[in-house]
mmCIF file of all heavy atoms in Angstrom:
data_model
loop_
_atom_site.group_PDB
_atom_site.id
_atom_site.type_symbol
_atom_site.label_atom_id
_atom_site.label_comp_id
_atom_site.label_asym_id
_atom_site.label_seq_id
_atom_site.Cartn_x
_atom_site.Cartn_y
_atom_site.Cartn_z
ATOM 1 N N SER A 33 -10.591 11.359 13.962
ATOM 2 C CA SER A 33 -10.219 9.945 14.021
ATOM 3 C C SER A 33 -9.061 9.721 14.990
ATOM 4 O O SER A 33 -9.068 8.769 15.781
ATOM 5 C CB SER A 33 -9.843 9.449 12.629
ATOM 6 O OG SER A 33 -9.341 8.150 12.682
ATOM 7 N N SER A 37 -9.352 7.520 18.422
ATOM 8 C CA SER A 37 -8.507 6.336 18.609
ATOM 9 C C SER A 37 -7.657 6.445 19.869
ATOM 10 O O SER A 37 -7.406 5.446 20.537
ATOM 11 C CB SER A 37 -7.632 6.093 17.386
ATOM 12 O OG SER A 37 -6.780 7.181 17.148
ATOM 13 N N THR A 40 -10.150 5.792 22.827
ATOM 14 C CA THR A 40 -10.629 4.416 22.932
ATOM 15 C C THR A 40 -9.511 3.383 23.021
ATOM 16 O O THR A 40 -9.783 2.200 23.172
ATOM 17 C CB THR A 40 -11.517 4.063 21.726
ATOM 18 O OG1 THR A 40 -10.744 4.199 20.527
ATOM 19 C CG2 THR A 40 -12.755 4.944 21.663
ATOM 20 N N CYS A 41 -8.271 3.847 22.902
ATOM 21 C CA CYS A 41 -7.095 2.959 22.950
ATOM 22 C C CYS A 41 -7.152 1.867 21.876
ATOM 23 O O CYS A 41 -6.723 0.734 22.099
ATOM 24 C CB CYS A 41 -6.945 2.325 24.332
ATOM 25 S SG CYS A 41 -6.667 3.531 25.626
ATOM 26 N N ASN A 42 -7.686 2.212 20.713
ATOM 27 C CA ASN A 42 -7.723 1.279 19.595
ATOM 28 C C ASN A 42 -6.430 1.448 18.812
ATOM 29 O O ASN A 42 -6.266 2.393 18.047
ATOM 30 C CB ASN A 42 -8.940 1.558 18.718
ATOM 31 C CG ASN A 42 -9.104 0.545 17.621
ATOM 32 O OD1 ASN A 42 -8.140 -0.030 17.127
ATOM 33 N ND2 ASN A 42 -10.343 0.318 17.233
ATOM 34 N N ILE A 43 -5.504 0.523 18.990
ATOM 35 C CA ILE A 43 -4.149 0.704 18.486
ATOM 36 C C ILE A 43 -4.083 0.725 16.968
ATOM 37 O O ILE A 43 -3.347 1.526 16.385
ATOM 38 C CB ILE A 43 -3.181 -0.347 19.085
ATOM 39 C CG1 ILE A 43 -1.737 0.026 18.771
ATOM 40 C CG2 ILE A 43 -3.494 -1.732 18.606
ATOM 41 C CD1 ILE A 43 -1.299 1.325 19.354
ATOM 42 N N PHE A 44 -4.835 -0.130 16.283
ATOM 43 C CA PHE A 44 -4.756 -0.140 14.823
ATOM 44 C C PHE A 44 -5.379 1.112 14.226
ATOM 45 O O PHE A 44 -4.861 1.658 13.246
ATOM 46 C CB PHE A 44 -5.383 -1.408 14.247
ATOM 47 C CG PHE A 44 -4.487 -2.605 14.402
ATOM 48 C CD1 PHE A 44 -4.762 -3.566 15.354
ATOM 49 C CD2 PHE A 44 -3.358 -2.759 13.620
ATOM 50 C CE1 PHE A 44 -3.924 -4.655 15.517
ATOM 51 C CE2 PHE A 44 -2.516 -3.846 13.770
ATOM 52 C CZ PHE A 44 -2.800 -4.799 14.724
ATOM 53 N N THR A 45 -6.453 1.590 14.805
ATOM 54 C CA THR A 45 -7.033 2.856 14.347
ATOM 55 C C THR A 45 -6.082 3.998 14.647
ATOM 56 O O THR A 45 -5.943 4.923 13.846
ATOM 57 C CB THR A 45 -8.406 3.098 15.004
ATOM 58 O OG1 THR A 45 -9.254 1.986 14.727
ATOM 59 C CG2 THR A 45 -9.060 4.355 14.468
ATOM 60 N N LEU A 46 -5.397 3.941 15.785
ATOM 61 C CA LEU A 46 -4.417 4.971 16.129
ATOM 62 C C LEU A 46 -3.278 5.007 15.112
ATOM 63 O O LEU A 46 -2.897 6.072 14.629
ATOM 64 C CB LEU A 46 -3.865 4.731 17.532
ATOM 65 C CG LEU A 46 -2.775 5.689 18.002
ATOM 66 C CD1 LEU A 46 -3.325 7.108 18.132
ATOM 67 C CD2 LEU A 46 -2.191 5.222 19.327
ATOM 68 N N LEU A 47 -2.747 3.837 14.764
ATOM 69 C CA LEU A 47 -1.649 3.786 13.796
ATOM 70 C C LEU A 47 -2.100 4.304 12.425
ATOM 71 O O LEU A 47 -1.379 5.057 11.767
ATOM 72 C CB LEU A 47 -1.111 2.360 13.695
ATOM 73 C CG LEU A 47 -0.425 1.836 14.966
ATOM 74 C CD1 LEU A 47 -0.131 0.345 14.840
ATOM 75 C CD2 LEU A 47 0.830 2.611 15.278
ATOM 76 N N LYS A 48 -3.304 3.919 12.009
ATOM 77 C CA LYS A 48 -3.834 4.427 10.737
ATOM 78 C C LYS A 48 -4.047 5.934 10.806
ATOM 79 O O LYS A 48 -3.783 6.647 9.829
ATOM 80 C CB LYS A 48 -5.151 3.739 10.399
ATOM 81 C CG LYS A 48 -5.014 2.303 9.997
ATOM 82 C CD LYS A 48 -6.381 1.692 9.750
ATOM 83 C CE LYS A 48 -6.308 0.207 9.529
ATOM 84 N NZ LYS A 48 -7.630 -0.393 9.365
ATOM 85 N N SER A 49 -4.503 6.421 11.949
ATOM 86 C CA SER A 49 -4.725 7.859 12.111
ATOM 87 C C SER A 49 -3.417 8.634 12.063
ATOM 88 O O SER A 49 -3.349 9.718 11.468
ATOM 89 C CB SER A 49 -5.457 8.142 13.425
ATOM 90 O OG SER A 49 -6.740 7.571 13.415
ATOM 91 N N TYR A 50 -2.376 8.093 12.684
ATOM 92 C CA TYR A 50 -1.057 8.726 12.585
ATOM 93 C C TYR A 50 -0.619 8.830 11.120
ATOM 94 O O TYR A 50 -0.121 9.860 10.676
ATOM 95 C CB TYR A 50 -0.005 7.937 13.364
ATOM 96 C CG TYR A 50 0.028 8.181 14.847
ATOM 97 C CD1 TYR A 50 0.294 7.147 15.730
ATOM 98 C CD2 TYR A 50 -0.174 9.448 15.386
ATOM 99 C CE1 TYR A 50 0.342 7.358 17.107
ATOM 100 C CE2 TYR A 50 -0.122 9.671 16.747
ATOM 101 C CZ TYR A 50 0.130 8.620 17.597
ATOM 102 O OH TYR A 50 0.183 8.841 18.956
ATOM 103 N N MET A 51 -0.810 7.757 10.372
ATOM 104 C CA MET A 51 -0.413 7.774 8.965
ATOM 105 C C MET A 51 -1.303 8.708 8.147
ATOM 106 O O MET A 51 -0.808 9.380 7.229
ATOM 107 C CB MET A 51 -0.426 6.359 8.383
ATOM 108 C CG MET A 51 0.734 5.516 8.843
ATOM 109 S SD MET A 51 2.358 6.298 8.637
ATOM 110 C CE MET A 51 2.390 6.616 6.892
ATOM 111 N N ASN A 52 -2.593 8.768 8.463
ATOM 112 C CA ASN A 52 -3.464 9.722 7.772
ATOM 113 C C ASN A 52 -2.964 11.142 7.973
ATOM 114 O O ASN A 52 -2.894 11.930 7.021
ATOM 115 C CB ASN A 52 -4.905 9.611 8.282
ATOM 116 C CG ASN A 52 -5.582 8.331 7.865
ATOM 117 O OD1 ASN A 52 -5.155 7.654 6.948
ATOM 118 N ND2 ASN A 52 -6.658 7.995 8.554
ATOM 119 N N CYS A 73 4.101 6.999 14.581
ATOM 120 C CA CYS A 73 3.498 5.735 14.144
ATOM 121 C C CYS A 73 4.536 4.622 14.136
ATOM 122 O O CYS A 73 4.303 3.531 14.653
ATOM 123 C CB CYS A 73 2.882 5.918 12.755
ATOM 124 S SG CYS A 73 2.076 4.438 12.114
ATOM 125 N N VAL A 76 5.567 3.648 17.829
ATOM 126 C CA VAL A 76 4.523 2.883 18.529
ATOM 127 C C VAL A 76 4.435 1.476 17.957
ATOM 128 O O VAL A 76 4.358 0.488 18.700
ATOM 129 C CB VAL A 76 3.155 3.611 18.449
ATOM 130 C CG1 VAL A 76 2.025 2.711 18.933
ATOM 131 C CG2 VAL A 76 3.193 4.903 19.241
ATOM 132 N N LEU A 77 4.460 1.368 16.633
ATOM 133 C CA LEU A 77 4.378 0.059 15.987
ATOM 134 C C LEU A 77 5.535 -0.840 16.417
ATOM 135 O O LEU A 77 5.328 -1.996 16.802
ATOM 136 C CB LEU A 77 4.391 0.224 14.465
ATOM 137 C CG LEU A 77 4.266 -1.072 13.676
ATOM 138 C CD1 LEU A 77 2.821 -1.541 13.664
ATOM 139 C CD2 LEU A 77 4.765 -0.876 12.267
ATOM 140 N N LEU A 80 5.294 -1.945 20.172
ATOM 141 C CA LEU A 80 4.259 -2.924 20.507
ATOM 142 C C LEU A 80 4.394 -4.258 19.780
ATOM 143 O O LEU A 80 4.031 -5.298 20.333
ATOM 144 C CB LEU A 80 2.872 -2.340 20.205
ATOM 145 C CG LEU A 80 2.441 -1.164 21.063
ATOM 146 C CD1 LEU A 80 1.100 -0.630 20.587
ATOM 147 C CD2 LEU A 80 2.374 -1.557 22.534
ATOM 148 N N PHE A 81 4.885 -4.251 18.539
ATOM 149 C CA PHE A 81 4.785 -5.450 17.720
ATOM 150 C C PHE A 81 6.101 -6.027 17.207
ATOM 151 O O PHE A 81 6.104 -7.130 16.663
ATOM 152 C CB PHE A 81 3.889 -5.176 16.498
ATOM 153 C CG PHE A 81 2.468 -4.874 16.856
ATOM 154 C CD1 PHE A 81 1.978 -3.584 16.753
ATOM 155 C CD2 PHE A 81 1.618 -5.870 17.300
ATOM 156 C CE1 PHE A 81 0.669 -3.298 17.070
ATOM 157 C CE2 PHE A 81 0.310 -5.592 17.630
ATOM 158 C CZ PHE A 81 -0.170 -4.296 17.516
ATOM 159 N N PHE A 82 7.196 -5.317 17.339
ATOM 160 C CA PHE A 82 8.436 -5.788 16.732
ATOM 161 C C PHE A 82 9.570 -5.840 17.740
ATOM 162 O O PHE A 82 9.596 -5.114 18.709
ATOM 163 C CB PHE A 82 8.848 -4.872 15.561
ATOM 164 C CG PHE A 82 7.970 -5.022 14.360
ATOM 165 C CD1 PHE A 82 6.845 -4.232 14.203
ATOM 166 C CD2 PHE A 82 8.257 -5.957 13.389
ATOM 167 C CE1 PHE A 82 6.017 -4.370 13.103
ATOM 168 C CE2 PHE A 82 7.449 -6.108 12.281
ATOM 169 C CZ PHE A 82 6.320 -5.311 12.145
ATOM 170 N N ILE A 89 4.985 -11.430 17.114
ATOM 171 C CA ILE A 89 3.549 -11.643 16.908
ATOM 172 C C ILE A 89 3.311 -12.553 15.711
ATOM 173 O O ILE A 89 2.361 -13.320 15.681
ATOM 174 C CB ILE A 89 2.836 -10.282 16.688
ATOM 175 C CG1 ILE A 89 2.910 -9.424 17.943
ATOM 176 C CG2 ILE A 89 1.415 -10.460 16.237
ATOM 177 C CD1 ILE A 89 2.085 -9.927 19.100
ATOM 178 N N ASP A 94 -2.654 -14.571 13.714
ATOM 179 C CA ASP A 94 -3.378 -15.137 12.585
ATOM 180 C C ASP A 94 -3.190 -14.257 11.348
ATOM 181 O O ASP A 94 -2.548 -13.209 11.394
ATOM 182 C CB ASP A 94 -4.857 -15.308 12.918
ATOM 183 C CG ASP A 94 -5.557 -13.979 13.203
ATOM 184 O OD1 ASP A 94 -4.901 -12.928 13.208
ATOM 185 O OD2 ASP A 94 -6.780 -14.014 13.421
ATOM 186 N N ASN A 96 -5.276 -12.384 9.734
ATOM 187 C CA ASN A 96 -5.897 -11.065 9.850
ATOM 188 C C ASN A 96 -4.973 -10.079 10.556
ATOM 189 O O ASN A 96 -4.785 -8.949 10.098
ATOM 190 C CB ASN A 96 -7.237 -11.173 10.582
ATOM 191 C CG ASN A 96 -7.953 -9.853 10.665
ATOM 192 O OD1 ASN A 96 -7.950 -9.067 9.719
ATOM 193 N ND2 ASN A 96 -8.566 -9.599 11.809
ATOM 194 N N LEU A 97 -4.380 -10.497 11.663
ATOM 195 C CA LEU A 97 -3.467 -9.629 12.411
ATOM 196 C C LEU A 97 -2.241 -9.281 11.569
ATOM 197 O O LEU A 97 -1.835 -8.121 11.500
ATOM 198 C CB LEU A 97 -3.039 -10.296 13.716
ATOM 199 C CG LEU A 97 -1.991 -9.547 14.541
ATOM 200 C CD1 LEU A 97 -2.541 -8.193 15.008
ATOM 201 C CD2 LEU A 97 -1.550 -10.372 15.724
ATOM 202 N N LEU A 98 -1.661 -10.272 10.925
ATOM 203 C CA LEU A 98 -0.489 -10.025 10.089
ATOM 204 C C LEU A 98 -0.831 -9.114 8.915
ATOM 205 O O LEU A 98 -0.029 -8.259 8.541
ATOM 206 C CB LEU A 98 0.101 -11.337 9.590
ATOM 207 C CG LEU A 98 0.724 -12.232 10.660
ATOM 208 C CD1 LEU A 98 1.234 -13.526 10.047
ATOM 209 C CD2 LEU A 98 1.834 -11.512 11.391
ATOM 210 N N SER A 99 -2.012 -9.261 8.348
ATOM 211 C CA SER A 99 -2.436 -8.393 7.250
ATOM 212 C C SER A 99 -2.565 -6.949 7.709
ATOM 213 O O SER A 99 -2.188 -6.025 6.983
ATOM 214 C CB SER A 99 -3.771 -8.866 6.670
ATOM 215 O OG SER A 99 -3.640 -10.104 6.050
ATOM 216 N N ARG A 100 -3.089 -6.764 8.904
ATOM 217 C CA ARG A 100 -3.231 -5.408 9.439
ATOM 218 C C ARG A 100 -1.862 -4.781 9.710
ATOM 219 O O ARG A 100 -1.630 -3.604 9.410
ATOM 220 C CB ARG A 100 -4.089 -5.439 10.699
ATOM 221 C CG ARG A 100 -5.542 -5.822 10.400
ATOM 222 C CD ARG A 100 -6.331 -6.082 11.636
ATOM 223 N NE ARG A 100 -6.819 -4.795 12.150
ATOM 224 C CZ ARG A 100 -7.557 -4.688 13.241
ATOM 225 N NH1 ARG A 100 -7.862 -5.762 13.930
ATOM 226 N NH2 ARG A 100 -7.972 -3.512 13.643
ATOM 227 N N LEU A 101 -0.958 -5.558 10.276
ATOM 228 C CA LEU A 101 0.406 -5.065 10.502
ATOM 229 C C LEU A 101 1.095 -4.742 9.181
ATOM 230 O O LEU A 101 1.732 -3.696 9.035
ATOM 231 C CB LEU A 101 1.235 -6.103 11.271
ATOM 232 C CG LEU A 101 0.955 -6.265 12.747
ATOM 233 C CD1 LEU A 101 1.741 -7.444 13.308
ATOM 234 C CD2 LEU A 101 1.294 -4.998 13.492
ATOM 235 N N TYR A 102 0.947 -5.629 8.219
ATOM 236 C CA TYR A 102 1.578 -5.439 6.916
ATOM 237 C C TYR A 102 1.057 -4.172 6.232
ATOM 238 O O TYR A 102 1.823 -3.416 5.638
ATOM 239 C CB TYR A 102 1.334 -6.666 6.041
ATOM 240 C CG TYR A 102 1.942 -6.558 4.672
ATOM 241 C CD1 TYR A 102 3.322 -6.567 4.496
ATOM 242 C CD2 TYR A 102 1.138 -6.444 3.546
ATOM 243 C CE1 TYR A 102 3.878 -6.459 3.239
ATOM 244 C CE2 TYR A 102 1.691 -6.338 2.288
ATOM 245 C CZ TYR A 102 3.062 -6.351 2.133
ATOM 246 O OH TYR A 102 3.617 -6.245 0.889
ATOM 247 N N SER A 103 -0.224 -3.929 6.342
ATOM 248 C CA SER A 103 -0.830 -2.736 5.747
ATOM 249 C C SER A 103 -0.214 -1.460 6.314
ATOM 250 O O SER A 103 0.098 -0.520 5.565
ATOM 251 C CB SER A 103 -2.343 -2.759 5.977
ATOM 252 O OG SER A 103 -2.928 -1.575 5.539
ATOM 253 N N ILE A 104 -0.015 -1.428 7.608
ATOM 254 C CA ILE A 104 0.557 -0.236 8.246
ATOM 255 C C ILE A 104 2.033 -0.094 7.902
ATOM 256 O O ILE A 104 2.504 1.000 7.577
ATOM 257 C CB ILE A 104 0.307 -0.272 9.764
ATOM 258 C CG1 ILE A 104 -1.184 -0.097 10.013
ATOM 259 C CG2 ILE A 104 1.110 0.800 10.486
ATOM 260 C CD1 ILE A 104 -1.653 -0.291 11.392
ATOM 261 N N VAL A 105 2.770 -1.197 7.934
ATOM 262 C CA VAL A 105 4.198 -1.143 7.591
ATOM 263 C C VAL A 105 4.366 -0.710 6.135
ATOM 264 O O VAL A 105 5.259 0.073 5.810
ATOM 265 C CB VAL A 105 4.887 -2.496 7.868
ATOM 266 C CG1 VAL A 105 6.295 -2.523 7.323
ATOM 267 C CG2 VAL A 105 4.897 -2.776 9.364
ATOM 268 N N ARG A 107 2.409 1.282 4.438
ATOM 269 C CA ARG A 107 2.188 2.733 4.394
ATOM 270 C C ARG A 107 3.395 3.494 4.937
ATOM 271 O O ARG A 107 3.770 4.535 4.414
ATOM 272 C CB ARG A 107 0.937 3.105 5.189
ATOM 273 C CG ARG A 107 -0.347 2.773 4.469
ATOM 274 C CD ARG A 107 -1.556 3.151 5.267
ATOM 275 N NE ARG A 107 -1.777 4.593 5.266
ATOM 276 C CZ ARG A 107 -2.761 5.171 5.945
ATOM 277 N NH1 ARG A 107 -3.602 4.455 6.662
ATOM 278 N NH2 ARG A 107 -2.899 6.479 5.896
#
Side-chain angles (χ1 to χ4, degrees):
S33 173
S37 61
T40 60
C41 297
N42 185 330
I43 191 62
F44 283 105
T45 304
L46 177 65
L47 294 171
K48 289 177 188 177
S49 296
Y50 279 143
M51 286 309 302
N52 290 342
C73 181
V76 169
L77 182 78
L80 294 176
F81 295 107
F82 288 90
I89 295 291
D94 63 357
N96 183 39
L97 175 63
L98 293 178
S99 294
R100 293 170 84 180
L101 285 173
Y102 180 69
S103 174
I104 292 172
V105 171
R107 284 180 75 182

